[in-house]
C-alpha cells in the first residue's frame, strides 16, 4: 500500500472529533469507573527528531505508514478491541517472542506450507511490538514481510483466543479497519451522526440506485465499505446481492430489513429455505433465527413460511405484471422447461418494483421450490445486471441455456444425477403429465406428489420416500414426471415422461414386463428406455421397448454383445448397426441418438439434476411369479450385533 499523500493529521483529528463513548464506555462514565480524559483519543504528534531517535535505537527505518502516523499522532487510544493503547515512538521495541511462539509455528511447517505460513512462523522473533496496553494481545509489525512500497505487514495476536493472528498489509490498513470498527460499534447510537456517517449513508442510497440500474458490482463495492462502518441499510442490501450471486446458504442475512413487513415476502422465504437446507433428517430441529427483533405477527408469519418451504408448498406470488410472468414461468418449469421459464422471467424483470426502499431484486424466486433452481448463480448475476423498477440501462447479454437437446447427453459421465449407473425412462405421446398416474400409477388413487425438500448437498433420490408395502418380486419405479416437446427433426408431437434416475434393480429380468403397452392405452405411442453402465461384474445393458394403442410393437435388450428381441425392430434402431468395436459410452451415445431421432425425444437435464419435478410411484415393472415359478431374493440389513 502506497502511503504517499495519505493525510494522517486530518484522519486522526477526524477520528478524535467524531469520538463519542460506546454504550459500555458510557456506562463506565456514568458509574464513575473511568474519567473521560482516559477514554478520548489524543492527537499528540512526534517530532522528526523523536522518530529518528527511535529508528537509531531500533536500528531500522520504520515503514512509511507507521512513520507518518507517529509524526501525526505518536500513539493512540483504542478501546474498541483487545488493544487499548498504541505506544509513542520512545515506547516501541522488539517483541523478542517472550512466549516461545516460534517453535510451535515452525513445527507445523512442511513441504506444502505456503510462503505466508513460513513468514508467519519467523515473525515472532523479528517483529516490532507497538502496543503498551492490551487484553493479552499484541500488535506486531514484521520487517520480514514487506511489499513494494516498503510497508511491513502488521499482525494482531489475541493470546487468549487460541487463533492464528490476523494479518493486515500495513499499519495504515490496520488503523483504517480500527476506524471502521469504531464507527460500526457506535452505529446503533441514535445521536451518532457526523460527516462520515452521512457520507456512508449517501453511499448506501447511491448503491441502491446503482443496483436497480443493473450496475450491481459498483453497488456491491459501495455497500461493502458501508457495511464495515456499520451503516444499517448496507447489511440487508449486500445480503441480497450475495444470495443472488453466491446462492442460498446458511448464514444468509438481511439485517433489520427482515423485520419490515413490506420486505417479508421477499426475504423471509429465502431465510426459511437456508434454514431448511441445513436441517438434516433425524437431527434435532434448530431454532429459526431471523437475526432481527420483530413483532409477534411477523414471527408467526415467518414460522408459517418455514413450514410451507419445508413441505414444498411455498409459492412466490408477487403482484402485477411481474407476478403474472412468475406464474407463467412456474407452469413451464413445473414440467421441466427451466430454460423457457427463465426466458419469461428475464423478459419481465424490468417490470419488477420493490415493495420497500431496501429491496433490490425479486429474491422470493429463490425460495420457490420450482423456480428457485431456475435462478442459477449465473442467472442471478444476469438478473442483477438487468435494470429494474423503471431504471434505464442496457440489458445484459443472456446467459446460455442449460438444457442440451435430445438424449445424447445422458451418455456423458459428468454430474447429472445417475450415480448408480442405471436409469430408466418412460415416454407417453400426446398425454398431459396429470394423466400419467391413471396409466401407470401403482393403484387407482395414485397421484403426482411434490419432490421433498432435500438438505444441502443431497441428491434427489437420497430423500425419496421409502416404499415398504411392495412384494419382494415387485419393482416399482419412483419417477420424476415432466413434459417435453418433439426434438428438432423428430416425428413426435409432444411427450410426457417419467424418469427414474436411480433404478433399484440391475435391469430387465425374467419377470420384467415393459410398462410401454399399458402406458400407450390412451392411443398414442409409448417408449421405454433402460440403461445400465458396465462394470467389473456386469456388462453394459441397453433396453428399448415401443408400444402403441395398448400393444407392444417391438423390444430388444442388449447385454454386452448379446441381443434379445421381440417384434420387428426398425432398421434405424437396430443395435447391430452400431460397430461392435465401439466402447460402451460411444455405443450408448449412438443408440440414444437413434432413439431421439426416431421419436423426437428429449429430457430436461437441469430439472432432473435439481430434482424439482413432481414424482409418481409406478406399478411394478415386474410381473408376479406364475404358479410353479421359483422366485428368490435376499435382504441385507445393518445393526449392532447382539451380545
Amino acid at each position: 500500500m502506497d502511503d504517499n499523500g495519505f493525510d494522517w493529521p486530518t484522519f486522526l483529528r477526524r477520528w478524535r472529533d467524531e469520538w463519542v463513548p460506546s454504550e459500555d464506555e458510557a456506562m463506565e462514565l456514568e458509574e464513575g469507573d473511568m474519567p473521560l480524559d482516559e477514554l478520548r483519543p489524543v492527537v499528540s504528534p512526534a517530532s522528526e527528531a523523536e522518530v529518528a531517535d527511535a529508528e537509531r535505537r531500533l536500528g531500522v527505518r520504520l515503514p512509511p505508514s507507521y512513520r507518518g502516523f507517529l509524526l501525526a499522532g505518536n500513539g493512540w487510544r483504542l478501546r474498541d478491541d483487545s488493544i487499548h493503547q498504541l505506544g509513542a515512538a520512545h515506547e516501541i521495541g522488539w517483541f523478542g517472542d517472550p512466549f516461545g511462539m516460534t517453535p510451535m509455528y515452525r513445527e507445523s511447517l512442511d513441504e506444502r506450507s505456503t510462503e505466508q505460513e513460513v513468514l508467519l512462523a519467523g515473525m515472532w522473533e523479528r517483529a516490532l511490538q507497538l502496543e503498551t496496553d492490551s487484553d493479552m494481545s499484541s500488535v506486531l509489525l514484521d520487517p520480514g514481510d514487506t511489499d513494494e512500497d516498503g510497508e511491513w505487514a502488521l499482525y494482531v495476536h489475541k493470546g487468549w483466543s487460541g487463533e492464528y493472528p490476523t494479518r493486515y498489509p500495513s499499519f495504515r490498513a490496520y488503523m483504517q479497519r480500527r476506524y471502521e470498527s469504531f464507527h460500526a460499534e457506535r452505529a446503533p447510537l441514535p445521536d451518532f451522526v457526523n460527516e462520515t456517517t452521512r457520507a456512508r449513508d449517501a453511499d448506501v442510497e447511491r448503491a441502491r440506485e446503482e443496483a436497480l440500474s443493473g450496475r450491481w458490482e459498483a453497488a456491491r463495492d459501495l455497500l461493502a465499505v458501508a457495511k464495515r462502518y456499520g451503516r444499517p441499510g448496507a447489511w440487508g442490501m449486500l445480503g441480497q446481492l450475495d444470495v443472488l450471486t453466491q446462492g442460498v446458504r446458511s448464514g444468509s442475512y438481511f439485517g433489520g430489513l427482515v423485520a419490515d413487513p413490506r420486505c417479508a415476502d421477499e426475504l423471509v422465504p429465502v431465510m426459511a429455505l437456508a434454514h431448511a437446507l441445513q436441517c438434516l433428517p433425524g437431527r434435532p430441529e434448530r431454532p429459526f433465527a431471523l437475526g432481527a427483533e420483530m413483532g409477534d405477527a411477523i414471527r408467526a408469519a415467518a414460522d408459517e413460511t418455514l413450514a410451507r418451504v419445508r413441505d414444498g408448498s411455498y409459492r412466490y406470488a408477487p403482484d402485477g405484471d411481474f407476478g403474472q410472468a412468475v406464474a407463467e414461468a412456474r407452469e413451464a418449469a413445473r414440467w421441466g422447461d427451466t430454460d423457457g421459464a427463465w426466458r419469461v422471467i428475464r423478459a419481465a424483470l424490468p417490470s419488477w418494483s420493490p415493495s420497500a426502499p431496501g429491496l433490490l431484486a425479486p429474491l422470493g424466486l429463490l425460495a420457490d421450490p420450482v423456480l428457485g433452481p431456475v435462478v442459477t448463480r449465473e442467472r442471478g448475476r444476469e438478473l442483477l445486471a438487468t435494470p429494474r423498477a423503471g431504471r434505464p440501462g442496457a440489458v445484459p447479454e443472456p446467459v446460455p441455456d442449460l438444457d442440451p437437446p435430445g438424449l445424447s447427453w445422458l451418455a456423458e459421465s459428468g454430474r447429472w444425477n445417475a450415480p448408480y449407473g442405471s436409469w430408466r425412462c418412460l415416454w407417453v405421446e400426446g398425454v398431459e403429465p396429470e394423466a400419467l398416474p391413471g396409466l401407470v400409477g401403482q393403484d387407482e388413487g395414485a397421484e403426482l406428489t411434490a419432490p421433498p425438500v432435500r438438505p444441502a448437498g443431497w441428491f434427489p433420490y437420497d430423500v425419496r420416500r421409502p416404499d415398504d408395502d411392495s412384494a419382494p418380486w415387485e419393482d416399482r419405479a419412483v419417477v420424476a414426471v415432466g413434459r417435453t416437446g418433439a426434438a428438432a427433426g423428430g416425428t413426435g408431437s409432444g411427450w410426457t415422461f417419467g424418469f427414474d434416475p436411480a433404478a433399484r434393480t440391475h435391469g430387465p429380468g425374467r419377470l420384467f414386463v415393459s410398462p410401454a403397452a399399458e402406458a400407450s392405452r390412451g392411443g398414442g405411442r409409448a417408449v421405454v428406455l433402460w440403461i445400465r453402465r458396465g462394470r467389473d461384474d456386469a456388462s453394459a445393458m441397453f433396453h428399448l421397448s415401443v408400444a402403441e394403442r395398448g400393444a407392444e410393437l417391438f423390444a430388444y435388450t442388449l447385454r454386452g454383445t448379446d441381443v434379445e428381441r421381440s417384434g420387428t425392430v426398425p432398421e434405424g434402431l437396430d443395435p447391430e448397426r452400431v460397430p461392435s468395436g465401439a466402447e460402451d459410452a460411444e455405443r450408448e451415445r449412438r443408440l440414444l441418438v437413434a432413439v431421439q431421432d426416431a421419436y423426437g425425444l428429449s429430457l430436461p437435464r437441469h430439472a432432473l439434476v435439481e430434482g424439482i419435478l413432481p414424482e409418481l410411484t409406478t406399478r411394478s415393472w415386474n410381473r408376479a411369479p406364475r404358479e410353479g415359478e421359483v422366485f428368490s431374493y435376499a435382504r441385507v440389513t445393518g445393526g449392532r450385533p447382539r451380545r
Side-chain angles (χ1 to χ4, degrees):
M1 178 183 291
D2 185 358
D3 207 57
N4 293 333
F6 184 72
D7 192 346
W8 277 104
T10 299
F11 175 73
L12 295 178
R13 283 196 302 270
R14 182 171 70 245
W15 194 338
R16 179 199 61 191
D17 295 343
E18 292 174 348
W19 185 90
V20 296
S22 66
E23 290 182 341
D24 291 341
E25 290 169 339
M27 188 176 300
E28 292 181 33
L29 290 171
E30 185 176 336
E31 295 174 354
D33 295 338
M34 184 74 68
L36 183 63
D37 289 343
E38 293 188 20
L39 295 176
R40 186 188 302 276
V42 177
V43 178
S44 179
S47 66
E48 183 67 45
E50 289 176 306
V51 175
D53 285 343
E55 290 176 329
R56 281 192 294 272
R57 174 172 55 85
L58 297 169
V60 294
R61 180 173 177 83
L62 296 172
S65 66
Y66 183 58
R67 203 174 193 279
F69 161 76
L70 291 175
L71 292 171
N74 199 28
W76 198 252
R77 287 176 182 163
L78 294 165
R79 287 182 54 85
D80 299 310
D81 196 16
S82 59
I83 306 300
H84 301 156
Q85 179 74 43
L86 296 177
H90 68 280
E91 295 175 307
I92 60 176
W94 298 112
F95 184 55
D97 193 13
F99 307 112
M101 306 295 290
T102 302
M104 179 175 65
Y105 276 78
R106 282 184 173 161
E107 285 174 2
S108 65
L109 297 178
D110 55 31
E111 65 277 2
R112 295 172 296 178
S113 298
T114 65
E115 180 182 359
Q116 196 60 57
E117 290 170 335
V118 173
L119 286 172
L120 176 59
M123 180 271 297
W124 309 96
E125 293 180 339
R126 60 178 180 257
L128 185 65
Q129 184 175 9
L130 305 187
E131 90 290 343
T132 57
D133 184 20
S134 71
D135 179 13
M136 297 178 60
S137 300
S138 302
V139 180
L140 307 172
L141 276 174
D142 182 9
D145 186 355
T146 63
D147 65 14
E148 64 275 10
D149 299 316
E151 293 290 355
W152 302 2
L154 183 146
Y155 291 87
V156 176
H157 179 238
K158 299 177 181 179
W160 43 266
S161 71
E163 299 173 351
Y164 277 80
T166 302
R167 182 186 183 275
Y168 300 85
S170 68
F171 179 80
R172 175 183 164 186
Y174 167 69
M175 287 295 280
Q176 178 65 37
R177 188 69 192 95
R178 294 272 56 78
Y179 176 63
E180 293 165 351
S181 296
F182 155 78
H183 265 268
E185 184 170 352
R186 287 155 178 79
L189 300 177
D191 298 329
F192 186 63
V193 179
N194 50 58
E195 182 180 347
T196 301
T197 62
R198 286 190 287 268
R200 297 291 80 78
D201 287 341
D203 285 346
V204 171
E205 182 56 31
R206 184 155 64 96
R208 175 177 179 270
E209 288 303 311
E210 294 282 356
L212 292 176
S213 300
R215 297 182 291 273
W216 67 272
E217 291 172 300
R220 182 183 59 186
D221 292 342
L222 291 168
L223 292 170
V225 174
K227 178 182 176 181
R228 293 200 299 269
Y229 280 84
R231 304 320 301 159
W235 291 80
M237 292 187 189
L238 193 60
Q240 295 172 64
L241 300 183
D242 287 345
V243 163
L244 280 167
T245 57
Q246 301 173 25
V248 178
R249 56 186 180 176
S250 176
S252 296
Y253 177 66
F254 305 111
L257 278 180
V258 75
D260 186 338
R262 299 172 299 172
C263 302
D265 288 345
E266 298 284 4
L267 304 183
V268 172
V270 175
M271 300 188 73
L273 177 61
H275 178 83
L277 292 176
Q278 295 304 314
C279 292
L280 297 177
R283 298 287 181 86
E285 174 73 12
R286 297 182 295 108
F288 179 28
L290 294 173
E293 295 184 7
M294 56 190 60
D296 293 341
I298 297 180
R299 178 74 254 182
D303 290 338
E304 180 183 351
T305 298
L306 174 62
R308 289 190 288 127
V309 166
R310 181 176 282 130
D311 66 19
S313 64
Y314 172 75
R315 297 293 180 268
Y316 177 56
D319 297 328
D321 292 343
F322 187 71
Q324 294 178 11
V326 167
E328 180 183 346
R330 182 184 297 106
E331 184 62 22
R334 178 188 176 198
W335 303 118
D337 186 9
T338 56
D339 288 333
W342 176 244
R343 287 191 286 272
V344 172
I345 293 171
R346 174 199 292 150
L349 281 174
S351 69
W352 177 83
S353 292
S355 56
L359 292 176
L360 302 180
L363 257 68
L365 284 167
L366 302 178
D368 190 296
V370 174
L371 294 176
V374 172
V375 188
T376 62
R377 296 181 187 182
E378 293 77 16
R379 287 171 171 172
R381 296 184 181 96
E382 182 184 357
L383 185 158
L384 289 173
T386 303
R388 304 173 298 285
R391 270 53 172 190
V395 177
E397 189 72 20
V399 300
D401 284 349
L402 297 173
D403 285 337
L407 300 175
S408 60
W409 61 268
L410 288 154
E412 299 171 2
S413 58
R415 174 185 178 269
W416 62 266
N417 273 23
Y420 298 142
S422 179
W423 62 266
R424 53 190 174 182
C425 187
L426 163 70
W427 288 266
V428 184
E429 186 180 24
V431 302
E432 289 301 307
E434 293 92 344
L436 196 62
L439 295 173
V440 297
Q442 64 177 326
D443 51 48
E444 292 184 1
E447 59 184 19
L448 300 178
T449 60
V453 175
R454 64 187 191 272
W458 288 40
F459 291 108
Y461 47 81
D462 289 332
V463 287
R464 286 180 163 180
R465 303 167 186 83
D467 185 4
D468 296 326
D469 62 347
S470 59
W473 54 266
E474 288 188 292
D475 178 22
R476 300 176 185 175
V478 180
V479 297
V481 177
R483 181 195 298 122
T484 179
T491 61
S493 58
W495 302 74
T496 283
F497 66 83
F499 182 82
D500 180 5
R504 291 174 292 179
T505 53
H506 296 309
R510 179 170 52 86
L511 302 181
F512 170 71
V513 176
S514 171
E518 282 294 304
S520 67
R521 287 181 291 114
R525 293 173 296 180
V527 177
V528 167
L529 271 181
W530 192 340
I531 293 179
R532 184 193 66 217
R533 294 272 171 88
R535 59 191 191 200
D536 293 341
D537 62 340
S539 300
M541 183 276 300
F542 189 102
H543 169 84
L544 170 66
S545 50
V546 178
E548 186 172 5
R549 299 182 182 278
E552 184 172 279
L553 300 180
F554 67 89
Y556 73 78
T557 301
L558 174 65
R559 290 185 174 88
T561 58
D562 298 330
V563 183
E564 300 174 10
R565 301 168 181 264
S566 61
T568 303
V569 179
E571 181 180 356
L573 296 172
D574 195 322
E576 294 185 357
R577 294 188 64 195
V578 178
S580 59
E583 295 185 357
D584 285 350
E586 175 59 18
R587 182 173 64 170
E588 178 184 336
R589 189 193 68 79
R590 293 190 185 192
L591 292 171
L592 285 169
V593 169
V595 174
Q596 80 182 28
D597 290 348
Y599 300 105
L601 299 179
S602 62
L603 283 172
R605 180 172 65 183
H606 186 64
L608 294 172
V609 167
E610 295 299 328
I612 65 176
L613 299 174
E615 294 181 343
L616 170 68
T617 300
T618 71
R619 301 186 192 115
S620 172
W621 289 36
N622 283 339
R623 63 171 173 79
R626 299 191 180 103
E627 185 177 353
E629 288 184 326
V630 176
F631 179 81
S632 62
Y633 69 97
R635 177 172 294 168
V636 179
T637 60
R640 293 180 177 272
R642 294 183 179 179
R643 295 183 179 274

PDB file of all heavy atoms in Angstrom, residues 50 77 86 113 147 192 202 205 238 249 259 291-292 355 385 419 462 496 578 605 611 642:
ATOM      1  N   GLU A  50      12.285  12.898  17.299  1.00  0.00           N
ATOM      2  CA  GLU A  50      11.853  11.777  18.150  1.00  0.00           C
ATOM      3  C   GLU A  50      11.736  10.492  17.335  1.00  0.00           C
ATOM      4  O   GLU A  50      12.129   9.416  17.799  1.00  0.00           O
ATOM      5  CB  GLU A  50      10.518  12.109  18.809  1.00  0.00           C
ATOM      6  CG  GLU A  50      10.601  13.162  19.896  1.00  0.00           C
ATOM      7  CD  GLU A  50       9.236  13.525  20.453  1.00  0.00           C
ATOM      8  OE1 GLU A  50       8.346  13.876  19.650  1.00  0.00           O
ATOM      9  OE2 GLU A  50       9.061  13.457  21.686  1.00  0.00           O
ATOM     10  N   ARG A  77      -5.215   5.819  21.521  1.00  0.00           N
ATOM     11  CA  ARG A  77      -6.061   5.017  22.403  1.00  0.00           C
ATOM     12  C   ARG A  77      -7.070   4.233  21.571  1.00  0.00           C
ATOM     13  O   ARG A  77      -7.783   4.795  20.755  1.00  0.00           O
ATOM     14  CB  ARG A  77      -6.786   5.916  23.402  1.00  0.00           C
ATOM     15  CG  ARG A  77      -5.882   6.464  24.484  1.00  0.00           C
ATOM     16  CD  ARG A  77      -6.615   7.413  25.390  1.00  0.00           C
ATOM     17  NE  ARG A  77      -5.707   7.972  26.400  1.00  0.00           N
ATOM     18  CZ  ARG A  77      -5.960   9.044  27.122  1.00  0.00           C
ATOM     19  NH1 ARG A  77      -7.106   9.698  26.957  1.00  0.00           N
ATOM     20  NH2 ARG A  77      -5.087   9.478  28.001  1.00  0.00           N
ATOM     21  N   LEU A  86      -1.794   2.177  21.700  1.00  0.00           N
ATOM     22  CA  LEU A  86      -0.590   2.074  20.883  1.00  0.00           C
ATOM     23  C   LEU A  86       0.443   3.031  21.448  1.00  0.00           C
ATOM     24  O   LEU A  86       0.136   4.189  21.742  1.00  0.00           O
ATOM     25  CB  LEU A  86      -0.888   2.425  19.419  1.00  0.00           C
ATOM     26  CG  LEU A  86      -1.851   1.503  18.671  1.00  0.00           C
ATOM     27  CD1 LEU A  86      -2.089   2.021  17.258  1.00  0.00           C
ATOM     28  CD2 LEU A  86      -1.318   0.082  18.624  1.00  0.00           C
ATOM     29  N   SER A 113       3.612 -26.134   2.968  1.00  0.00           N
ATOM     30  CA  SER A 113       3.354 -24.845   3.602  1.00  0.00           C
ATOM     31  C   SER A 113       3.505 -23.709   2.593  1.00  0.00           C
ATOM     32  O   SER A 113       4.381 -23.740   1.724  1.00  0.00           O
ATOM     33  CB  SER A 113       4.316 -24.622   4.772  1.00  0.00           C
ATOM     34  OG  SER A 113       4.129 -25.600   5.769  1.00  0.00           O
ATOM     35  N   ASP A 147       6.106  -5.162   1.293  1.00  0.00           N
ATOM     36  CA  ASP A 147       5.604  -5.045  -0.073  1.00  0.00           C
ATOM     37  C   ASP A 147       6.472  -4.079  -0.866  1.00  0.00           C
ATOM     38  O   ASP A 147       7.493  -3.581  -0.375  1.00  0.00           O
ATOM     39  CB  ASP A 147       4.129  -4.624  -0.080  1.00  0.00           C
ATOM     40  CG  ASP A 147       3.894  -3.233   0.494  1.00  0.00           C
ATOM     41  OD1 ASP A 147       4.879  -2.470   0.654  1.00  0.00           O
ATOM     42  OD2 ASP A 147       2.728  -2.894   0.764  1.00  0.00           O
ATOM     43  N   PHE A 192     -25.328   9.357  17.021  1.00  0.00           N
ATOM     44  CA  PHE A 192     -24.017   9.244  16.386  1.00  0.00           C
ATOM     45  C   PHE A 192     -24.154   9.611  14.914  1.00  0.00           C
ATOM     46  O   PHE A 192     -24.326   8.758  14.036  1.00  0.00           O
ATOM     47  CB  PHE A 192     -23.464   7.825  16.546  1.00  0.00           C
ATOM     48  CG  PHE A 192     -22.054   7.679  16.051  1.00  0.00           C
ATOM     49  CD1 PHE A 192     -21.018   8.375  16.637  1.00  0.00           C
ATOM     50  CD2 PHE A 192     -21.771   6.840  14.986  1.00  0.00           C
ATOM     51  CE1 PHE A 192     -19.712   8.239  16.183  1.00  0.00           C
ATOM     52  CE2 PHE A 192     -20.474   6.690  14.516  1.00  0.00           C
ATOM     53  CZ  PHE A 192     -19.444   7.393  15.119  1.00  0.00           C
ATOM     54  N   ALA A 202     -25.016   8.166   2.312  1.00  0.00           N
ATOM     55  CA  ALA A 202     -25.209   8.585   0.923  1.00  0.00           C
ATOM     56  C   ALA A 202     -24.715   7.506  -0.034  1.00  0.00           C
ATOM     57  O   ALA A 202     -25.304   7.285  -1.099  1.00  0.00           O
ATOM     58  CB  ALA A 202     -24.475   9.905   0.670  1.00  0.00           C
ATOM     59  N   GLU A 205     -27.444   4.885  -0.373  1.00  0.00           N
ATOM     60  CA  GLU A 205     -28.505   5.301  -1.282  1.00  0.00           C
ATOM     61  C   GLU A 205     -28.030   5.252  -2.735  1.00  0.00           C
ATOM     62  O   GLU A 205     -28.775   4.836  -3.626  1.00  0.00           O
ATOM     63  CB  GLU A 205     -28.969   6.716  -0.929  1.00  0.00           C
ATOM     64  CG  GLU A 205     -30.113   7.231  -1.788  1.00  0.00           C
ATOM     65  CD  GLU A 205     -31.333   6.322  -1.773  1.00  0.00           C
ATOM     66  OE1 GLU A 205     -31.593   5.659  -0.752  1.00  0.00           O
ATOM     67  OE2 GLU A 205     -32.037   6.265  -2.807  1.00  0.00           O
ATOM     68  N   LEU A 238     -26.551  -5.692   0.853  1.00  0.00           N
ATOM     69  CA  LEU A 238     -25.414  -6.534   0.488  1.00  0.00           C
ATOM     70  C   LEU A 238     -25.796  -8.012   0.594  1.00  0.00           C
ATOM     71  O   LEU A 238     -25.378  -8.836  -0.232  1.00  0.00           O
ATOM     72  CB  LEU A 238     -24.223  -6.218   1.382  1.00  0.00           C
ATOM     73  CG  LEU A 238     -22.876  -6.792   0.945  1.00  0.00           C
ATOM     74  CD1 LEU A 238     -22.496  -6.268  -0.433  1.00  0.00           C
ATOM     75  CD2 LEU A 238     -21.794  -6.432   1.956  1.00  0.00           C
ATOM     76  N   ARG A 249     -27.622 -20.109   1.221  1.00  0.00           N
ATOM     77  CA  ARG A 249     -26.756 -20.915   2.073  1.00  0.00           C
ATOM     78  C   ARG A 249     -26.966 -20.509   3.513  1.00  0.00           C
ATOM     79  O   ARG A 249     -27.589 -19.481   3.811  1.00  0.00           O
ATOM     80  CB  ARG A 249     -25.296 -20.728   1.675  1.00  0.00           C
ATOM     81  CG  ARG A 249     -24.842 -19.277   1.699  1.00  0.00           C
ATOM     82  CD  ARG A 249     -23.442 -19.120   1.170  1.00  0.00           C
ATOM     83  NE  ARG A 249     -23.049 -17.715   1.203  1.00  0.00           N
ATOM     84  CZ  ARG A 249     -21.850 -17.278   0.873  1.00  0.00           C
ATOM     85  NH1 ARG A 249     -20.923 -18.135   0.491  1.00  0.00           N
ATOM     86  NH2 ARG A 249     -21.561 -15.991   0.915  1.00  0.00           N
ATOM     87  N   ALA A 259     -37.316  -7.474   9.373  1.00  0.00           N
ATOM     88  CA  ALA A 259     -38.384  -7.127  10.308  1.00  0.00           C
ATOM     89  C   ALA A 259     -39.404  -6.167   9.702  1.00  0.00           C
ATOM     90  O   ALA A 259     -40.417  -5.871  10.330  1.00  0.00           O
ATOM     91  CB  ALA A 259     -37.785  -6.509  11.572  1.00  0.00           C
ATOM     92  N   GLY A 291     -32.412 -13.039  12.934  1.00  0.00           N
ATOM     93  CA  GLY A 291     -31.365 -12.049  13.128  1.00  0.00           C
ATOM     94  C   GLY A 291     -31.852 -10.643  13.362  1.00  0.00           C
ATOM     95  O   GLY A 291     -31.089  -9.693  13.211  1.00  0.00           O
ATOM     96  N   ALA A 292     -33.119 -10.467  13.707  1.00  0.00           N
ATOM     97  CA  ALA A 292     -33.645  -9.128  13.971  1.00  0.00           C
ATOM     98  C   ALA A 292     -34.851  -9.252  14.891  1.00  0.00           C
ATOM     99  O   ALA A 292     -35.546 -10.272  14.898  1.00  0.00           O
ATOM    100  CB  ALA A 292     -34.042  -8.432  12.673  1.00  0.00           C
ATOM    101  N   SER A 355     -41.198  -3.404  -3.091  1.00  0.00           N
ATOM    102  CA  SER A 355     -42.288  -3.012  -2.195  1.00  0.00           C
ATOM    103  C   SER A 355     -41.799  -2.161  -1.037  1.00  0.00           C
ATOM    104  O   SER A 355     -42.599  -1.634  -0.267  1.00  0.00           O
ATOM    105  CB  SER A 355     -42.986  -4.267  -1.649  1.00  0.00           C
ATOM    106  OG  SER A 355     -42.046  -5.129  -1.011  1.00  0.00           O
ATOM    107  N   ALA A 385     -27.869  -7.640 -13.293  1.00  0.00           N
ATOM    108  CA  ALA A 385     -27.369  -6.745 -14.343  1.00  0.00           C
ATOM    109  C   ALA A 385     -28.489  -6.177 -15.204  1.00  0.00           C
ATOM    110  O   ALA A 385     -28.226  -5.340 -16.079  1.00  0.00           O
ATOM    111  CB  ALA A 385     -26.361  -7.484 -15.219  1.00  0.00           C
ATOM    112  N   PRO A 419     -25.949 -41.649 -10.266  1.00  0.00           N
ATOM    113  CA  PRO A 419     -24.716 -42.138  -9.649  1.00  0.00           C
ATOM    114  C   PRO A 419     -24.622 -43.658  -9.596  1.00  0.00           C
ATOM    115  O   PRO A 419     -23.536 -44.201  -9.484  1.00  0.00           O
ATOM    116  CB  PRO A 419     -24.771 -41.558  -8.242  1.00  0.00           C
ATOM    117  CG  PRO A 419     -26.231 -41.467  -7.957  1.00  0.00           C
ATOM    118  CD  PRO A 419     -26.868 -41.107  -9.262  1.00  0.00           C
ATOM    119  N   ASP A 462     -31.844 -39.300  -2.710  1.00  0.00           N
ATOM    120  CA  ASP A 462     -31.478 -39.582  -1.318  1.00  0.00           C
ATOM    121  C   ASP A 462     -32.631 -39.354  -0.350  1.00  0.00           C
ATOM    122  O   ASP A 462     -32.587 -39.823   0.786  1.00  0.00           O
ATOM    123  CB  ASP A 462     -30.298 -38.706  -0.892  1.00  0.00           C
ATOM    124  CG  ASP A 462     -29.003 -39.116  -1.567  1.00  0.00           C
ATOM    125  OD1 ASP A 462     -28.884 -40.306  -1.894  1.00  0.00           O
ATOM    126  OD2 ASP A 462     -28.136 -38.262  -1.758  1.00  0.00           O
ATOM    127  N   THR A 496     -45.128 -36.837 -22.535  1.00  0.00           N
ATOM    128  CA  THR A 496     -44.969 -36.818 -21.081  1.00  0.00           C
ATOM    129  C   THR A 496     -43.981 -37.915 -20.714  1.00  0.00           C
ATOM    130  O   THR A 496     -44.019 -39.009 -21.290  1.00  0.00           O
ATOM    131  CB  THR A 496     -46.313 -37.058 -20.382  1.00  0.00           C
ATOM    132  OG1 THR A 496     -47.082 -35.851 -20.426  1.00  0.00           O
ATOM    133  CG2 THR A 496     -46.130 -37.450 -18.920  1.00  0.00           C
ATOM    134  N   VAL A 578     -24.668 -50.572 -34.720  1.00  0.00           N
ATOM    135  CA  VAL A 578     -23.560 -49.923 -34.021  1.00  0.00           C
ATOM    136  C   VAL A 578     -22.347 -50.825 -34.119  1.00  0.00           C
ATOM    137  O   VAL A 578     -22.435 -52.020 -33.795  1.00  0.00           O
ATOM    138  CB  VAL A 578     -23.911 -49.670 -32.538  1.00  0.00           C
ATOM    139  CG1 VAL A 578     -22.728 -49.034 -31.817  1.00  0.00           C
ATOM    140  CG2 VAL A 578     -25.152 -48.789 -32.441  1.00  0.00           C
ATOM    141  N   ARG A 605     -32.334 -31.796 -18.662  1.00  0.00           N
ATOM    142  CA  ARG A 605     -31.264 -32.150 -17.725  1.00  0.00           C
ATOM    143  C   ARG A 605     -31.330 -31.338 -16.431  1.00  0.00           C
ATOM    144  O   ARG A 605     -31.215 -31.892 -15.333  1.00  0.00           O
ATOM    145  CB  ARG A 605     -29.902 -31.952 -18.380  1.00  0.00           C
ATOM    146  CG  ARG A 605     -28.733 -32.296 -17.453  1.00  0.00           C
ATOM    147  CD  ARG A 605     -27.404 -32.276 -18.174  1.00  0.00           C
ATOM    148  NE  ARG A 605     -27.062 -30.939 -18.646  1.00  0.00           N
ATOM    149  CZ  ARG A 605     -25.962 -30.665 -19.359  1.00  0.00           C
ATOM    150  NH1 ARG A 605     -25.141 -31.646 -19.708  1.00  0.00           N
ATOM    151  NH2 ARG A 605     -25.711 -29.438 -19.751  1.00  0.00           N
ATOM    152  N   GLY A 611     -33.891 -31.943  -9.227  1.00  0.00           N
ATOM    153  CA  GLY A 611     -34.962 -32.654  -8.527  1.00  0.00           C
ATOM    154  C   GLY A 611     -36.180 -31.809  -8.251  1.00  0.00           C
ATOM    155  O   GLY A 611     -36.749 -31.880  -7.158  1.00  0.00           O
ATOM    156  N   ARG A 642     -25.828 -58.563  18.605  1.00  0.00           N
ATOM    157  CA  ARG A 642     -26.293 -58.833  19.967  1.00  0.00           C
ATOM    158  C   ARG A 642     -25.216 -59.583  20.746  1.00  0.00           C
ATOM    159  O   ARG A 642     -24.536 -60.452  20.210  1.00  0.00           O
ATOM    160  CB  ARG A 642     -27.571 -59.672  19.927  1.00  0.00           C
ATOM    161  CG  ARG A 642     -28.751 -58.929  19.304  1.00  0.00           C
ATOM    162  CD  ARG A 642     -29.998 -59.786  19.355  1.00  0.00           C
ATOM    163  NE  ARG A 642     -31.138 -59.087  18.792  1.00  0.00           N
ATOM    164  CZ  ARG A 642     -32.344 -59.622  18.703  1.00  0.00           C
ATOM    165  NH1 ARG A 642     -32.561 -60.867  19.137  1.00  0.00           N
ATOM    166  NH2 ARG A 642     -33.329 -58.923  18.175  1.00  0.00           N
TER     167      ARG A 642
END
